[in-house]
Amino acid sequence: MTILSEAPAETKRPAASGLMAMVRHTQYVLAENPVTAGSFALFIAFLIAAILGPSIVPYDPLASDTAAALQSPSAHHWFGTDQLGRDIFSRVIVATRLDMTIAIASVVLVFLLGGFAGIAAGFYGGWTDRIVGRISDTIMAFPLFVLAMGIVAALGNTVTNIIVATAIINFPLYARLARSEANIRREAGFVHAARLSGNSDPRILMCFILPNIMPLMMVQISLTMGYAILNAAGLSFIGLGVRPPTPEWGIMVAEGAAFIVSGEWWIAFFPGVALMLAVFCFNLLGDGLRDIVDPQRRT
Amino acid sequence: MTVSSATAPAILDVRDLTIEFATRRGTVRAIEHVDISLAKGETLGIVGESGSGKSVTSYAVMRILDRAGRIAEGSIMYSGVDVVAASEDELRDLRGREMAMIFQNPRAALNPIRQVGRQIEDVLLEHVQTTRGEAKQKAIEALQQVRIARPEERYHAYPFELSGGMCQRIVIALALACRPQLLIADEPTTGLDVTTQKAVMDLVVELTRERAMSTILITHDLGLAATYCDRIVVMEKGKVVETALSKDIFSNPGHPYTRKLMRATPRPGAGLRDLLPLEAATAPLPAPAPSTGEVLLRVEGLVKEYPRQDTSGLFSKFFGKQQEPQAPFRAVDNIGFEVRRGETVGLVGESGCGKSTTSMMVMRLLDPTSGRITFAGEDISAVPARNFATNPMRRRIQMVFQDPTESLNPRFTAARAIADPILRGKSMSRDALRARCEELAGLVGLPLEFLDRLPHQLSGGQKARVGIARALALSPDLVILDEPTAALDVSVQAVVLNLLQDLKIRLGMSYLFVSHDLHVVRLLCDRVIVMRAGKIVEAGTAEQVLEAPTAEYTRQLIEAIPHPPV
């Protein structure tokens, strides 16, 4: 048979392997958008602090030295010391691991719960949709921070419970987003085509619909990550969740708050800045992540 | 080739226009050195395939290019006003009052939550054409002028309550409300049925002639342009390749591209191979295998009903406020037909006639309300649609979808998309799978280097080939073609239609071809079924139905196809 061919649409460079294309695309996105590049750098700094924190800090974050209490920032103690003489710089760095763990674990949990519940609701509709929808509505009916307080107070003051509480209050965001996106794609041509190929419904959900809504979910993940950190710090601030003397940004701000009036601003200031930077970084990261995850932006 | 244009002074004069778009890979020239002039009262057609720059040209005339676009060179003079240099304020005054535009998708061009009459009033008030007191009267007059029945009632209608053709009339009323001098119609009838297309185009021509307006009609359909325009500009890849009077263009096309475009347009008296460019040395159509007469698919008494309460979206346009919500709506009303082995049966009708619903039921993606679908002697309608994915019959009935873009998973490479049906069936080694993909790609004429690309890196024709390869992957007996070329340019359509026919004969498949385009149906089908409002109005061999239709409706359909002056 003769091969009928039309004129080639355009000549492009030969397609590289998937990973290389991804790396090149990431470089492009970062080079194109300095804000994203900045937030990525910040994110990597936080990651290094979280992983290596305890081994790189100059002082033991828990060791108190009453002789050196309440010193202002200096060459010895970059961020100063607190009322027990503990080095604030060391404590801020060491706290990164705990705060990041809470944020990442809660986001992973809520992504698994909310994301899958939402996709199923959008895809199947009917009773699944109604049940997921009403659960979301019920959660949304509470003031979210108060709900998180209630959950931690009821279940007990542990890191696991902070993670669970943070995941639960973010559930509606994920469920609703995933539901609407899955619902749009339910009748898409490629989903019908997948059925014709003999794909079962669960497979269509996992292999066809989920990957296609990942770019949007990435933005959501990044935004809630910042929110989760704030939430964890907030719970610790009011005395729920992580307990002293564990270094944690929220507790440190809470402890330092009493000293601001007397002029020792650095105790609350530096953990506060760390908290702000972390939230700021995650919020900016979202757009960049979406651009990297979405293959349609890759050419 | 210069053409003695009308002696009237030019209302629009585009000289040496070049437009650049800033993209990731540097600037791209969308159009280069384009010259177009339009006389007062003239209708000019701009014809070209996708990517030819025809829409960009018209957007530049209205200065509504998006932010990445920039007029790099050239001038646009509109009755003495320099559009390129004009300020945004001057332009706003010009748009709507002097020049108006009709867009492709009328539903998207209307505000969905505002009554159509009020939308017309808004335009009139914005351009100080009326006072608040008499605005309503003027809006109703505008509706009357676009031949909308019961304008007082329709004034209060929302766009979703009106059909596509009605919406386009409202958009025309909006565009003409301020009596502009220039109307730009960008693919005004794409997506409308042929009979509606005829009505809308007749209306546009009549109204513009009445008001001595100049019109630019942008279209991919050479036949449509030649039927309704005085002069035609043919564009290819951002350049004007030919300008000619429309009565000359069919009899004496000058540029090779115009000839290619004309050849590719399905028309009476042209066979499948006649659509391909002359220089493409193609073998004649292989002789079809003698039909064994064995019935492959038999549909009996098929009915699909929808409860009226769910009259959302698509259905609301058929059932406005006035219907009482009792009896269920019959999308498909007791139809029956047969497809024999090796045969192509065409299912023709306008949107909403139930042809897609029928194909979905035959495809077993949708459960019929009643009726039987027998495939190769087995009653497949007994298996519910949701369980059919794992049925052994699944691999024997496949489908090629209407929109090649939408029917490919954006995250799968071409090879992965083609392999998907095979992967679900039996396990196969990586190499064997790759070999099978390459074999299929060869079969549909997809160059192998495209196999590792994602859909958005492929052209429309290449995506269509991937879709066809995927449908063939399991060597099905019956393939349902749901308007497989509706989203493609004519030259690509010609190639794909030929490919489909070759494959059918080669692989001994049967096709059920769903389409609204009678020309295309004639090329491919042995027998044709015409549907209207869920019922079959006519069935017979292709020649019989198209040359000597017995049903009044079939005659209307055939007459509505644009007849260019020859």
Side-chain angles (χ1 to χ4, degrees):
Chain A
M1 186 186 115
T2 48
I3 302 283
L4 307 158
S5 65
E6 81 231 37
E10 62 215 87
T11 42
K12 281 172 178 164
R13 57 164 184 251
S17 72
L19 190 67
M20 272 311 292
M22 185 87 182
V23 169
R24 227 189 353 237
H25 178 68
T26 308
Q27 281 171 349
Y28 171 80
V29 169
L30 295 184
E32 191 70 355
N33 191 344
V35 177
T36 307
S39 63
F40 255 83
L42 204 55
F43 178 61
I44 289 169
F46 275 117
L47 274 189
I48 292 171
I51 295 165
L52 301 177
S55 47
I56 55 169
V57 290
Y59 297 90
D60 180 353
L62 295 177
S64 53
D65 176 8
T66 35
L70 294 176
Q71 283 184 3
S72 59
S74 65
H76 279 293
H77 298 282
W78 291 351
F79 290 177
T81 59
D82 65 7
Q83 72 279 18
L84 296 175
R86 295 176 293 197
D87 180 46
I88 292 176
F89 177 72
S90 305
R91 286 176 65 78
V92 166
I93 297 292
V94 170
T96 314
R97 182 183 286 182
L98 182 59
D99 280 281
M100 287 288 168
T101 309
I102 294 173
I104 291 171
S106 71
V107 166
V108 168
L109 187 63
V110 71
F111 174 75
L112 292 177
L113 291 176
F116 286 110
I119 292 176
F123 188 73
Y124 292 110
W127 276 106
T128 324
D129 191 14
R130 266 173 244 174
I131 291 167
V132 173
R134 291 304 85 75
I135 292 175
S136 299
D137 291 347
T138 312
I139 294 172
M140 294 290 270
F142 291 96
L144 293 182
F145 190 69
V146 176
L147 180 64
M149 278 165 57
I151 295 169
V152 176
L155 295 181
N157 248 355
T158 64
V159 172
T160 320
N161 289 339
I162 297 184
I163 293 170
V164 171
T166 312
I168 288 174
I169 61 171
N170 284 330
F171 177 87
L173 292 176
Y174 282 79
R176 286 182 174 183
L177 181 71
R179 181 199 171 275
S180 62
E181 291 300 317
N183 200 24
I184 295 168
R185 287 168 180 79
R186 178 161 80 163
E187 293 296 317
F190 69 86
V191 172
H192 280 318
R195 281 213 186 88
L196 295 189
S197 306
N199 290 285
S200 60
D201 278 358
R203 238 197 99 81
I204 290 175
L205 274 185
M206 296 305 300
C207 301
F208 289 81
I209 293 187
L210 180 67
N212 276 297
I213 66 174
M214 269 317 277
L216 273 161
M217 294 300 262
M218 279 322 283
V219 177
Q220 190 67 38
I221 283 175
S222 169
L223 289 177
T224 35
M225 194 88 106
Y227 185 55
I229 289 179
L230 266 188
N231 193 61
L235 286 174
S236 307
F237 184 88
I238 56 169
L240 285 163
V242 185
R243 269 181 276 210
T246 319
E248 198 282 333
W249 295 333
I251 301 174
M252 292 170 73
V253 173
E255 286 177 347
F259 293 92
I260 289 182
V261 256
S262 50
E264 288 91 9
W265 52 270
W266 56 88
I267 304 176
F269 178 78
F270 288 107
V273 167
L275 205 51
M276 188 203 82
L277 281 179
V279 175
F280 187 64
C281 159
F282 282 120
N283 286 355
L284 291 180
L285 213 52
D287 281 343
L289 273 181
R290 181 199 55 213
D291 290 353
I292 290 169
V293 170
D294 192 347
Q296 308 216 27
R297 295 179 186 251
R298 209 184 301 153
T299 17
Chain B
M1 7 325 14
T2 48
V3 169
S4 55
S5 63
T7 44
I11 185 168
L12 177 74
D13 198 18
V14 177
R15 284 266 159 266
D16 201 28
L17 186 68
T18 298
I19 293 172
E20 291 179 345
F21 278 85
T23 70
R24 211 165 138 156
R25 301 244 183 85
T27 46
V28 172
R29 291 198 156 187
I31 60 169
E32 278 182 283
H33 309 295
V34 165
D35 296 312
I36 289 169
S37 78
L38 179 66
K40 196 159 170 49
E42 189 186 26
T43 305
L44 178 75
I46 302 184
V47 181
E49 297 189 285
S50 51
S52 63
K54 53 191 195 300
S55 291
V56 171
T57 311
S58 64
Y59 291 172
V61 169
M62 301 230 5
R63 278 271 306 276
I64 51 173
L65 287 171
D66 64 44
R67 266 193 304 174
R70 188 175 74 84
I71 297 173
E73 277 173 57
S75 69
I76 303 169
M77 297 296 287
Y78 173 80
S79 57
V81 181
D82 184 354
V83 176
V84 178
S87 71
E88 194 55 34
D89 275 345
E90 288 171 292
L91 284 170
R92 204 174 308 130
D93 200 39
L94 221 54
R95 293 182 201 131
R97 201 165 54 81
E98 286 289 329
M99 349 179 185
M101 193 150 182
I102 309 175
F103 293 93
Q104 182 170 349
N105 183 350
R107 226 171 267 282
L110 292 171
N111 182 347
I113 53 159
R114 196 158 167 78
Q115 295 172 356
V116 293
R118 298 225 171 245
Q119 298 192 37
I120 298 174
E121 279 182 20
D122 292 342
V123 176
L124 291 168
L125 291 168
E126 169 71 26
H127 290 282
V128 211
Q129 297 283 311
T130 180
T131 56
R132 220 159 259 288
E134 54 173 31
K136 184 170 179 183
Q137 194 47 46
K138 284 229 174 162
I140 290 174
E141 273 170 31
L143 289 175
Q144 243 159 6
Q145 278 162 1
V146 291
R147 317 276 182 279
I148 285 182
R150 305 194 307 278
E152 289 85 0
E153 221 173 280
R154 293 284 159 69
Y155 173 93
H156 297 289
Y158 290 95
F160 71 87
E161 295 173 322
L162 301 172
S163 67
M166 283 283 215
C167 282
Q168 193 58 289
R169 280 167 209 237
I170 305 281
V171 173
I172 294 169
L174 276 172
L176 300 185
C178 298
R179 305 196 156 260
Q181 291 303 301
L182 171 65
L183 177 73
I184 301 177
D186 186 0
E187 303 265 8
T189 56
T190 309
L192 298 181
D193 289 322
V194 269
T195 50
T196 322
Q197 160 169 302
K198 184 166 156 52
V200 166
M201 283 314 299
D202 286 346
L203 177 71
V204 168
V205 167
E206 194 186 323
L207 289 177
T208 51
R209 200 158 287 160
E210 222 168 67
R211 300 170 182 206
M213 284 169 59
S214 311
T215 312
I216 297 179
L217 171 69
I218 297 163
T219 177
H220 64 277
D221 186 343
L222 199 55
L224 182 75
T227 311
Y228 290 101
C229 299
D230 303 324
R231 217 151 44 93
I232 291 179
V233 170
V234 181
M235 289 187 73
E236 185 199 13
K237 293 180 190 144
K239 294 197 179 78
V240 173
V241 296
E242 181 163 6
T243 309
L245 292 175
S246 31
K247 61 179 191 301
D248 296 339
I249 203 149
F250 266 83
S251 53
N252 187 19
H255 193 273
Y257 179 73
T258 318
R259 275 202 290 272
K260 183 183 157 207
L261 211 56
M262 277 187 42
R263 269 188 82 81
T265 309
R267 59 202 178 275
L272 258 181
R273 284 292 191 252
D274 297 333
L275 303 185
L276 296 173
L278 275 174
E279 52 270 35
T282 41
L285 277 176
S291 177
T292 53
E294 179 201 350
V295 174
L296 185 64
L297 175 80
R298 173 173 285 135
V299 173
E300 295 159 289
L302 197 65
V303 172
K304 181 70 191 176
E305 288 182 343
Y306 288 102
R308 297 244 176 183
Q309 287 89 314
D310 289 344
T311 53
S312 55
L314 187 69
F315 298 116
S316 55
K317 70 178 178 190
F318 300 111
F319 314 107
K321 287 171 177 169
Q322 53 273 66
Q323 244 84 9
E324 63 279 0
Q326 265 79 23
F329 164 59
R330 286 199 159 190
V332 174
D333 194 357
N334 194 17
I335 67 165
F337 60 89
E338 284 174 0
V339 179
R340 296 195 194 91
R341 203 175 273 281
E343 189 184 41
T344 303
V345 174
L347 202 55
V348 184
E350 298 192 288
S351 55
C353 74
K355 60 184 194 302
S356 293
T357 314
T358 307
S359 70
M360 292 293 258
M361 285 190 286
V362 173
M363 206 64 248
R364 301 304 299 118
L365 289 172
L366 195 66
D367 281 322
T369 309
S370 66
R372 266 163 65 91
I373 302 167
T374 321
F375 181 80
E378 244 180 80
D379 182 6
I380 55 169
S381 51
V383 185
R386 56 182 312 162
N387 297 339
F388 201 74
T390 50
N391 193 289
M393 280 296 192
R394 173 77 290 163
R395 57 186 298 129
R396 299 180 64 184
I397 317 171
Q398 290 291 318
M399 184 165 186
V400 176
F401 290 85
Q402 177 168 5
D403 185 344
T405 308
E406 201 227 19
S407 65
L408 294 177
N409 185 345
R411 303 187 73 96
F412 277 3
T413 61
R416 179 71 184 79
I418 295 172
D420 196 52
I422 308 171
L423 284 170
R424 295 288 74 71
K426 50 180 182 283
S427 58
M428 212 186 226
S429 75
R430 265 181 86 94
D431 292 340
L433 190 66
R434 182 73 193 184
R436 175 71 178 144
C437 282
E438 289 182 358
E439 184 193 338
L440 286 163
L443 209 54
V444 298
L446 182 75
L448 295 185
E449 67 263 28
F450 293 148
L451 276 177
D452 294 312
R453 292 210 183 154
L454 291 166
H456 70 276
Q457 296 165 326
L458 298 171
S459 72
Q462 289 158 356
K463 279 185 271 201
R465 284 166 200 266
V466 174
I468 294 169
R470 177 177 60 190
L472 298 182
L474 296 174
S475 316
D477 295 318
L478 174 70
V479 178
I480 297 184
L481 308 167
D482 184 6
E483 310 227 11
T485 58
L488 302 175
D489 282 327
V490 277
S491 60
V492 184
Q493 164 175 294
V495 176
V496 170
L497 289 177
N498 272 287
L499 173 69
L500 285 169
Q501 184 69 2
D502 287 337
L503 288 170
K504 182 191 108 172
I505 294 168
R506 203 166 153 206
L507 305 174
M509 298 177 290
S510 307
Y511 286 159
L512 181 60
F513 189 92
V514 181
S515 180
H516 68 277
D517 190 335
L518 285 164
H519 279 323
V520 175
V521 165
R522 189 178 51 82
L523 289 169
L524 222 55
C525 298
D526 304 315
R527 285 191 302 123
V528 176
I529 297 162
V530 183
M531 281 184 75
R532 187 188 197 183
K535 290 195 173 73
I536 292 177
V537 294
E538 185 163 5
T541 64
E543 294 96 79
Q544 201 182 323
V545 172
L546 290 158
E547 307 303 332
T550 52
E552 175 58 31
Y553 177 66
T554 317
R555 266 199 290 276
Q556 276 177 25
L557 275 183
I558 293 169
E559 270 166 30
I561 301 169
H563 294 291
V566 180

